[in-house]
Every structure is written in structure tokens, then in C-alpha cells.
Amino acid sequence: ADGRKVLRSSIREFLCSEANHYLGVPTTRAASCITSSTRVTRDPFYTGANQEERCTVVSRVAQTFLRFGSLEIFKTEDPVTGRAGPSAGLALAQIDVGCGGPGVKRATKPFLASMLDFITTACYPAIAAKHPPGEDRYFALLSEISERTAVLVASWQAVGFCHGVLNTDNMSVAGLTIDYGPFGFMDMFDPEHVCNHSDDSGRYSYAAQPDICRWNCQKLAEAFAPCLSPVRAEEAAGNFD
């Protein structure tokens, strides 16, 4: 968790995510809102007048909470930042994917392929039924995720919804609105509207959302390697357009 939410922000998240659902915006759903006697200090109006507020948990439901960033754990060292994913070099590592009794050899599968197959089965059963594990399945999967992401951001633009923090870790592989944080709906149309007060550059402004989501699909395409060739991955990500 990023931190302790309070009751007022939790109710806002619950109501707004359900509003998105009924507006036809693909989204994770709010299941419950549970508060406690634990309190934290917050400044609700940013005036310096701190007050004690109740901690609250919003439970959400979806086919999966895997994100684009979940697949970037295998990323090798970036030439610009010098950083690597926490599981760099392990994309092809064999992991157990089945149970076996005494004397029965357990089935194994490359780590990344196992994750891609889980996403396909959980979120895209038609693709799983049509394509066995392999490049054709992963091409179809990435194509569908890219298209759903385009539909998602188009839905946001249509209702004036701003997400606030559209990094790859806040993009759902199921094509759903996920991680309601510094989000907001525009009161009046303003293409440069920024709902996240820490976004000084306007990277995630309303007008920038489609391009940011396209860029995230390109990063996801990179994360599909080595299960999908770079040429086919680029073609699949292009389905966003």
C-alpha cells in the first residue's frame, strides 16, 4: 500500500469508481469501504489546520490486478537510468506450473510465459481458446490489451475524467481504470487540466492522456520480450491506433 487512506477520500473513490462504471467507463469495481478506530493526521484543505481522521480501506474487485509494470520486473538495465527490474534476467527462468505426486515430474514453464498465459486465461478466454501458448497467443494478447487501452482512454476523454498518475504501474492488463489516486472529473472543459497537484510539468494532463497511454503500450510491448519478437510486439502495440 502507498499509505493510509482516510474515510472522506475512500468514500470519494468508492462513489467515483462506481460512477465511472455506470457511465460506461471500463473500471475496477468498489466492493466495500471499511473504516477503523485507527487515526492519522491529515490536512484536508491544505491550510495547515491538521486534524485526526479515521483510516479506511476500500476493497476492489477485478479479473486481475496485474499491471503493465508487473511485466517490467524482468527488465534489464536501462541505458538511460541504469536501473533494472527486480527480476532482471529471470524471464526465461523455469517455474513450477503444476502439481505432481510422489515420483511425478512437475511441469515447468518460463516465468514470463507463465504470467502471460495467466493473463490470457483470466482476462481473454477467447484468445486462450483460439491460440495455444506461444508467439501467436502473445501477439493476440498484446494486440487486445492495446486496443482495450485505447477504448479505456477514449472513455475517459468522453466524460472528462483525469487519472492523475498514468505510469506503467497504474495501467491494467485488463484494460480497466485502476489505482484511483489524485484523479478528478473536469468541471469545465480545459484540455490542459491537471488533477494531480504534484504534476508540475502537466505530463498527465487531460490532453496528454491518449499519448501517455500509447507510450505505455509501447513499454508493455518491450516487456513481452523474449516471448514475442520486437517486430511483432511493435505491430501489436500499434493496435492502440
Side-chain angles (χ1 to χ4, degrees), residues 102 168 225:
T168 55

Side-chain angles (χ1 to χ4, degrees), residues 182-205:
F183 68 92
F185 290 91
M186 290 191 295
D187 293 324
M188 297 180 293
F189 181 72
D190 175 10
E192 303 308 316
H193 178 73
V194 177
C195 64
N196 182 356
H197 295 295
S198 66
D199 183 8
D200 297 327
S201 67
R203 176 177 174 81
Y204 303 123
S205 69

Side-chain angles (χ1 to χ4, degrees), residues 97 108-110 112-114 116-118 120-121 127-139 227:
V97 293
T108 62
K109 182 184 292 186
L112 175 59
S114 180
L116 296 179
D117 287 334
F118 171 80
T120 308
T121 303
I127 294 176
K130 184 176 181 180
H131 300 287
E135 264 217 17
D136 288 344
R137 169 182 283 192
Y138 307 141
F139 175 83
C227 290

Side-chain angles (χ1 to χ4, degrees), residues 108-189:
T108 62
K109 182 184 292 186
F111 201 163
L112 175 59
S114 180
M115 291 181 69
L116 296 179
D117 287 334
F118 171 80
I119 293 168
T120 308
T121 303
C123 304
Y124 304 96
I127 294 176
K130 184 176 181 180
H131 300 287
E135 264 217 17
D136 288 344
R137 169 182 283 192
Y138 307 141
F139 175 83
L141 173 62
L142 180 56
S143 297
E144 185 66 21
I145 293 174
S146 299
E147 182 174 335
R148 286 201 190 185
T149 301
V151 170
L152 173 65
V153 69
S155 300
W156 292 344
Q157 302 303 94
V159 300
F161 176 82
C162 295
H163 184 282
V165 190
L166 282 173
N167 52 42
T168 55
D169 201 41
N170 288 341
M171 300 291 298
S172 166
V173 296
L176 304 172
T177 309
I178 196 171
D179 282 349
Y180 285 83
F183 68 92
F185 290 91
M186 290 191 295
D187 293 324
M188 297 180 293
F189 181 72

Side-chain angles (χ1 to χ4, degrees), residues 45-111:
F45 302 107
Y46 303 100
T47 60
N50 292 338
Q51 61 187 54
E52 296 293 304
E53 299 189 64
R54 288 182 180 271
C55 294
T56 305
V57 173
V58 178
S59 296
R60 310 197 63 79
V61 292
Q63 299 101 312
T64 180
F65 283 92
L66 287 173
R67 304 112 188 284
F68 288 16
S70 301
L71 299 175
E72 292 183 305
I73 62 173
F74 306 109
K75 183 178 176 65
T76 55
E77 184 175 308
D78 187 277
V80 177
T81 65
R83 297 177 179 175
S87 297
L90 296 179
L92 296 178
Q94 297 291 316
I95 62 170
D96 287 344
V97 293
C99 297
V104 178
K105 185 177 180 180
R106 297 176 65 87
T108 62
K109 182 184 292 186
F111 201 163

